[in-house]
Amino acid sequence: MPDSALIETVRDFNRFYTNFLGVLNRAYLDTPFTLTDARVLFEIGSRNGVSASVLTRDLQLDAAYLSRILKRFRGEGLIETASDPDDMRSQIISVTDKGRDQFQELGRRSNVQIAERFDTLAAGAPQSIVTAMTTIRALLEPNAAPPAAILRPHRAGDMGWIVQSQAKAYTEEYGWDMRFEGLVADVAGKFLTNFNPAMEYCWIAERAGVNIGSVLIANGGDGIAKLRLLYVDKAARGLGLGKTLVDECIRFAKARQYRQLSLWTNDILHAARGIYVKAGFRLVSEERHCMFGREENGQTWVLDL
Amino acid sequence: MPDSALIETVRDFNRFYTNFLGVLNRAYLDTPFTLTDARVLFEIGSRNGVSASVLTRDLQLDAAYLSRILKRFRGEGLIETASDPDDMRSQIISVTDKGRDQFQELGRRSNVQIAERFDTLAAGAPQSIVTAMTTIRALLEPNAAPPAAILRPHRAGDMGWIVQSQAKAYTEEYGWDMRFEGLVADVAGKFLTNFNPAMEYCWIAERAGVNIGSVLIANGGDGIAKLRLLYVDKAARGLGLGKTLVDECIRFAKARQYRQLSLWTNDILHAARGIYVKAGFRLVSEERHCMFGREENGQTWVLDL
DNA sequence: CAATTTTATTTGACTCAGTCAACTAATTGC
DNA sequence: GCAATTAGTTGACTGAGTCAAATAAAATTG
């Protein structure tokens, strides 16, 4: 549950941006088109044939209202419609040359309007605004074009991200206290301070510029590799990402000729344990503990390589 | 003149956000109020007396239309108006208790709506979105006053944020390597693992739901308090926040009857050192080192309490 | 396979958000 | 002192958008 300060900031921004858009959208008063007219024409012009019911759905418009807009556009020669041979109820709408000229003219006016508004801003401000807009768009609409997750090596700040994300997630999901965050920070700190790139590695899973998972291998000595800080963000679970991260660890451990891969987990982390079992790990010890405020069952698993 | 790719991105974002706001604003259909009603009531409720002409200007509304809204609100007992003694044409509008209850209810519904929408997002996404929104707002409206920063105690994830932010900032600003992040993680981990709330504390500076600074006090034994991990985000510098954080540390250390406050810094951190000097710290030792990849001059400062 | 339900689209009737013009009262500026 | 402007209100009106009912076509059900 996002905290109230965050929610208040979103609402404040929404009020601000409603006014901002209101000023921009009033420009349509200089044309015979309403904002809705423009949205419809633009959507038709951006697609290669589209049905009215699809427009109704995507633009959240009343079907009767859309019908009237389309009738008017047909009358003005901006669009043409043809019956859909696959569904005689339906019509396929496309834009005419005249219509394309019109929405391109609307586009030019909109471009000029934004250019004028942005010319008044400080140097560099437009680029920063666009970067921020892209961030908001990508985060609010992650499924729009779900880019593939990639695995990459860690870089500055990622250990902090691991600490923050796991602390928040496990405090919320299991009620663990700050000592858990302390332990994760300690593990992360030691990993970085003593990092040996020949035998150790950290993978970060990232999607659309946002971190969504992690795992690291540390050298435990005596030919034993330690798999640590496996984590998949709630929003990215169920996609096999955890398995991918563990598989990558096993591959790395074998390539570096470790003789064994070892890990400590808590049995309450069911999804993770399922991955370990399927990967061939065996349980070698377990003990009850209260390290994080709740009584848990810690377990050590190993995989012979 | 901003380039066409930038303009196109702005327009694309505006189309997206128009739809996003359209979905949010439709929530008002569950109340007898229109979106404009809500905007008016909210604006009146957020100010300590306001005139109709000011509302007309700030909300970009037709004066006749606003007049009707206000008449209806008066009829429903949501607002009350009084003549302005300085201008008998003008009226000062204020919200009644009933009106305040009403817009607080609208606010609650809006909060729930946004909370539900944001709960579906990836961990960290709400924070990133809010940061981006704050950036857009500040750049499009440079004359608006930034919201006040607050200091609060740490909670789950904050140590991770400290590690991440300082690692990114100092890698970028000074080229320090991962061992710096390792050290910060180690300090943070030990602080949490051994946390003693009677003698230790961590302050997080937050603005509009976004973390912007930190500092912590750890018990170094022998009556010595250690000031650690002082940090102010680049976007919040120059406002005296660092001094505020240090002052809070000194106050806490004195209240807990430590005999001395000690800290280790690097002289390249000029702003921080300036704060320490002004606070009365004295330099007791310094040594060249290469702990983070670059040759730096580490310094230990102390303040007798 | 026929009957029923659902979907796509259109048209009629209607609501009401918002605009424009004209008005009164008060203030400002020359 | 008077003309111009501002603050606010009311009357009349436009048109964006909604709701219901209609026809035609497709999908579903028994």
Side-chain angles (χ1 to χ4, degrees), chain B:
Chain B
M1 171 70 77
D3 61 85
S4 60
L6 184 146
I7 291 173
E8 188 49 42
T9 306
V10 174
R11 288 180 59 201
D12 188 60
F13 176 79
N14 286 351
R15 283 191 293 272
F16 161 74
Y17 216 71
T18 297
N19 285 335
F20 178 76
L21 287 171
V23 172
L24 285 188
N25 293 339
R26 198 160 293 134
Y28 290 103
L29 295 180
D30 290 339
T31 74
F33 298 100
T34 67
L35 170 63
T36 306
D37 288 349
R39 288 171 69 213
V40 170
L41 188 56
F42 185 88
E43 206 63 34
I44 296 171
S46 304
R47 301 189 193 206
N48 193 11
V50 62
S51 69
S53 57
V54 166
L55 287 176
T56 295
R57 185 193 70 206
D58 290 354
L59 298 178
Q60 301 283 317
L61 291 175
D62 182 85
Y65 182 34
L66 178 65
S67 181
R68 270 184 266 274
I69 292 178
L70 295 178
K71 185 174 185 179
R72 182 159 41 85
F73 281 178
R74 248 191 325 271
E76 292 166 8
L78 302 177
I79 63 171
E80 59 200 3
T81 55
S83 291
D84 183 349
D86 291 335
D87 188 336
M88 301 297 288
R89 292 174 296 180
S90 201
Q91 288 192 348
I92 302 302
I93 309 155
S94 53
V95 72
T96 61
D97 288 344
K98 180 180 177 183
R100 192 174 303 283
D101 287 346
Q102 186 62 257
F103 89 71
Q104 282 170 349
E105 173 57 21
L106 292 177
R108 274 187 285 275
R109 292 184 189 208
S110 183
N111 286 356
V112 165
Q113 182 188 48
I114 291 175
E116 284 171 354
R117 181 67 181 77
F118 274 51
D119 264 352
T120 67
L121 303 178
Q127 292 281 338
S128 298
I129 290 171
V130 162
T131 300
M133 285 175 169
T134 304
T135 296
I136 294 173
R137 180 68 186 276
L139 291 170
L140 282 176
E141 207 174 51
N143 299 325
I150 59 162
L151 301 194
R152 58 163 179 80
H154 74 283
R155 53 174 186 250
D158 281 329
M159 271 329 118
W161 175 81
I162 289 175
V163 174
Q164 181 180 33
S165 301
Q166 298 202 20
K168 278 179 159 179
Y170 295 148
T171 296
E172 178 185 315
E173 291 173 38
Y174 307 114
W176 292 353
D177 66 19
M178 69 174 73
R179 285 171 293 177
F180 171 72
E181 185 171 1
L183 174 67
V184 175
D186 188 62
V187 168
K190 285 188 170 60
F191 176 82
L192 289 181
T193 303
N194 305 319
F195 184 57
N196 172 12
M199 297 294 284
E200 297 174 328
Y201 206 88
C202 174
W203 292 267
I204 297 292
E206 179 184 300
R207 181 173 70 189
V210 177
N211 292 0
I212 53 172
S214 69
V215 72
L216 60 82
I217 274 195
N219 188 356
D222 195 23
I224 298 176
K226 300 277 195 179
L227 186 159
R228 286 183 156 145
L229 304 188
L230 175 68
Y231 173 74
V232 177
D233 200 84
K234 189 190 290 182
R237 290 175 192 169
L239 306 173
L241 186 54
K243 175 184 176 345
T244 300
L245 287 163
V246 170
D247 286 351
E248 205 60 31
C249 277
I250 295 171
R251 189 173 299 126
F252 181 92
K254 285 180 174 177
R256 295 312 188 276
Q257 296 183 345
Y258 283 102
R259 63 180 176 85
Q260 188 181 78
L261 184 52
S262 166
L263 65 89
W264 183 77
T265 187
N266 289 274
D267 74 348
I268 200 172
L269 303 178
H270 300 298
R273 197 180 50 163
I275 292 172
Y276 302 139
V277 167
K278 280 178 183 153
F281 282 78
R282 59 188 169 82
L283 180 64
V284 296
S285 69
E286 60 186 319
E287 61 288 329
R288 309 295 294 176
H289 72 81
C290 264
M291 292 167 67
F292 313 135
R294 298 283 181 88
E295 183 163 336
E296 301 292 351
N297 189 22
Q299 296 177 332
T300 298
W301 297 72
V302 301
L303 178 71
D304 298 313
L305 300 171

Side-chain angles (χ1 to χ4, degrees), chain A residues 211-282:
Chain A
N211 292 1
I212 52 171
S214 70
V215 71
L216 61 81
I217 274 195
N219 188 357
D222 195 22
I224 298 175
K226 301 276 194 179
L227 184 159
R228 285 183 156 148
L229 304 186
L230 176 68
Y231 172 73
V232 176
D233 200 86
K234 189 189 291 180
R237 289 175 193 170
L239 305 174
L241 186 55
K243 175 183 175 348
T244 299
L245 288 162
V246 169
D247 286 351
E248 205 60 31
C249 275
I250 296 172
R251 188 172 301 124
F252 182 92
K254 285 179 170 175
R256 295 309 187 278
Q257 295 183 348
Y258 281 103
R259 64 179 176 83
Q260 187 181 78
L261 184 52
S262 167
L263 65 89
W264 182 77
T265 186
N266 288 273
D267 75 346
I268 200 172
L269 303 177
H270 301 299
R273 197 179 50 162
I275 293 172
Y276 301 139
V277 167
K278 281 179 180 151
F281 281 77
R282 61 188 168 80

